[in-house]
Amino acid sequence: MAPSHPDHGSHTLTNDQSAAIDAFLAEREDELLALVSDLIAIDSQIPPHADERQIVNFLVSVLEEANLAEDVSVIGPTPERPSLIARVKGTGGGQSLMLNGHTDTKPVGEAAHLWRTDPHTATVVDGNLFGLGATDMKAAVACMILAARAVRETGVQLRGDIVFGFVADEEAGAQLGSKFVAPLIDNVDAVLIGEPSGWEHDWQGIHLVSRGVCGFRIKVTGTQMHSSLSDRMPSVNASLKLADLMVRIGSELDLPFTPHPLGGVGPTINTGVMIAGGTFFGVVPGQAEFACDLRTVPGQTREQVAQGIETWLDACRVADPDLQVDYAFEPGLDWIPWSELEAGHPLVAVVTDAASDVLGEAPPLGVFPGGTDAPWFSQQGIPTLPSFGPGTLTCAHGPNEFVSVQSIHEAARIYARIIANFCS
């Protein structure tokens, strides 16, 4: 549980201190890009590897070299799935801030042939840095480290602690990452997650909400038999029944929700994110299934989703007596909760001021389209801002992932101001 401290003003840096931080970072722009590149070069795809040891070991060495490793813990449910928690202590009596980022990436996967550059070699083209994990979210991790260095090495006195939380397994649902780590965290007043905060352009919003994730599968049973007899003997083709359900679920599944006041955002269902069925040529399909990726909003519950699916499937069975269908929630992805930070929390004011100072105008408060590690911390009573980081979500999880070089340098300047103002 986060300790209670008095709120501090969001304007604590002097103009001279801000200028000194910016000068420090301007002199190290190449160093920052090199650190992003080094992180991209480390393969931390899950799947296929499910092993974050190499990247965590590298980050420990980076923090040690930068004198930012006063109190370091490498923790995880197995040696292959470590997360890194490092604390840089302030003078005492101030608010402590965790800078959070995940070290894993989605796999290159079936789009490998569509990459125009080597996914594990950072390549700058027309002002954008390409590479797997560039925007999601190795650039943010590098920016957090350089920002903390800038604050420390320019002599800004912090009362609160800087805490780095570089975690495993976010891309697979965080069961072995933040969900494991969050209950072990103490003496942290707030968490800032550096997930890319745009989808149409950089810095699209300061996202106070992350939607939840609910994964489930619809499973149909048919009649597996010799396909040459399908016109002579009664049979049910599981794949055809499945196709009908896939077309209908998006418009027929009733999941009540209250539109969120930050933009009226509601849930999104992605049908058929995976499909399986059938045996081979010559066989009427006896089994078929499709998976759904549901993005939930504040107020929705797993029980409501389950009731909605059951009600819809009951209606489908009544309308089609030949339909044998069931559903199952996906283990580990059955319910990643949504998360929400109150707009009046001091961290929101600090982030808004820092963004305004660097960007000229603060982005609006909004709802992050995806899920983040935020709920695992907020459920432990630690206020968490789910997304404010460089890059756009649009190019993540696909070929030619990139982050703009400009947003990398902006992020380092913004994070430095956030650290200095919140922890002072």
Side-chain angles (χ1 to χ4, degrees):
M1 179 68 70
S4 176
H5 293 297
D7 291 348
H8 298 282
S10 56
H11 297 283
T12 58
L13 276 180
T14 66
N15 290 337
D16 287 345
Q17 288 173 322
S18 295
I21 286 172
D22 288 346
F24 179 95
L25 292 170
E27 292 173 0
R28 290 161 180 79
E29 287 187 348
D30 290 343
E31 184 178 343
L32 176 54
L33 294 183
L35 179 53
V36 178
S37 300
D38 288 343
L39 292 172
I40 288 171
I42 299 173
D43 189 349
S44 54
Q45 301 175 78
I46 61 162
H49 304 300
D51 189 336
E52 290 92 349
R53 283 177 293 183
Q54 184 180 356
I55 195 166
V56 163
N57 289 339
F58 174 75
L59 286 169
V60 170
S61 68
V62 169
L63 293 179
E64 289 176 344
E65 185 176 350
N67 295 315
L68 296 172
E70 297 173 4
D71 184 2
V72 176
S73 298
V74 176
I75 54 178
T78 67
E80 296 80 17
R81 310 307 306 278
S83 294
L84 168 62
I85 307 299
R87 183 179 293 268
V88 183
K89 294 183 180 179
T91 59
Q95 300 178 120
S96 296
L97 176 67
M98 175 184 281
L99 303 169
N100 172 263
H102 61 83
T103 59
D104 59 319
T105 72
K106 288 291 189 187
V108 174
E110 59 193 10
H113 66 288
L114 297 175
W115 277 84
R116 296 188 292 271
T117 62
D118 180 349
H120 296 295
T121 301
T123 307
V124 176
V125 180
D126 297 330
N128 295 317
L129 188 151
F130 289 82
L132 185 65
T135 194
D136 190 15
M137 53 178 293
K138 293 182 175 181
V141 169
C143 292
M144 291 170 175
I145 294 171
L146 260 291
R149 275 190 59 194
V151 173
R152 289 272 298 220
E153 295 188 30
T154 55
V156 177
Q157 296 298 310
L158 303 181
R159 294 168 61 193
D161 302 344
I162 306 169
V163 182
F164 298 106
F166 299 143
V167 296
D169 199 47
E170 191 273 348
E171 296 292 6
Q175 303 294 316
L176 308 179
S178 288
K179 187 175 182 180
F180 177 88
V181 169
L184 307 177
I185 299 296
D186 59 7
N187 296 318
V188 168
D189 291 278
V191 177
L192 171 65
I193 300 179
E195 289 279 5
S197 53
W199 54 94
E200 296 169 318
H201 57 80
D202 290 326
W203 308 115
Q204 194 160 348
I206 299 172
H207 295 124
L208 307 189
V209 177
S210 61
R211 294 199 291 183
V213 180
C214 176
F216 61 91
R217 296 175 186 258
I218 303 295
K219 303 182 178 185
V220 175
T221 299
T223 310
Q224 183 173 325
M225 59 178 283
H226 202 295
S227 64
S228 69
L229 299 176
S230 61
D231 62 338
R232 304 187 184 194
M233 302 286 292
S235 64
V236 174
N237 185 317
S239 295
L240 288 178
K241 298 290 186 184
L242 189 84
D244 178 59
L245 295 177
M246 283 185 62
V247 171
R248 295 165 50 190
I249 189 171
S251 60
E252 296 181 2
L253 183 61
D254 184 18
L255 300 174
F257 71 97
T258 300
H260 198 276
L262 291 177
V265 176
T268 300
I269 186 167
N270 298 280
T271 304
V273 291
M274 292 180 288
I275 306 173
T279 301
F280 197 63
F281 295 97
V283 182
V284 173
Q287 297 287 332
E289 67 176 46
F290 68 90
C292 290
D293 170 340
L294 174 67
R295 303 294 170 139
T296 62
V297 295
Q300 291 186 295
T301 67
R302 185 182 186 277
E303 291 70 26
Q304 289 174 340
V305 172
Q307 184 59 55
I309 296 172
E310 291 168 359
T311 299
W312 177 65
L313 290 181
D314 284 343
C316 293
R317 295 184 189 102
V318 170
D320 182 0
D322 291 332
L323 178 64
Q324 296 185 54
V325 62
D326 207 343
Y327 78 99
F329 285 110
E330 187 74 3
L333 291 173
D334 59 320
W335 191 257
I336 298 175
W338 42 265
S339 180
E340 185 169 18
L341 179 66
E342 293 182 0
H345 190 275
L347 179 59
V348 179
V350 169
V351 171
T352 300
D353 287 343
S356 179
D357 194 28
V358 173
L359 303 176
E361 182 181 2
L365 304 183
V367 176
F368 187 63
T372 72
D373 277 323
W376 311 120
F377 297 105
S378 61
Q379 286 186 346
Q380 298 300 317
I382 308 175
T384 302
L385 199 155
S387 161
F388 195 60
T392 58
L393 196 65
T394 315
C395 65
H397 299 187
N400 305 304
E401 181 179 353
F402 71 89
V403 61
S404 73
V405 172
Q406 178 177 327
S407 74
I408 294 174
H409 296 312
E410 290 169 341
R413 295 175 62 204
I414 291 170
Y415 290 157
R417 285 161 170 77
I418 293 170
I419 293 168
N421 289 331
F422 189 82
C423 298
S424 293

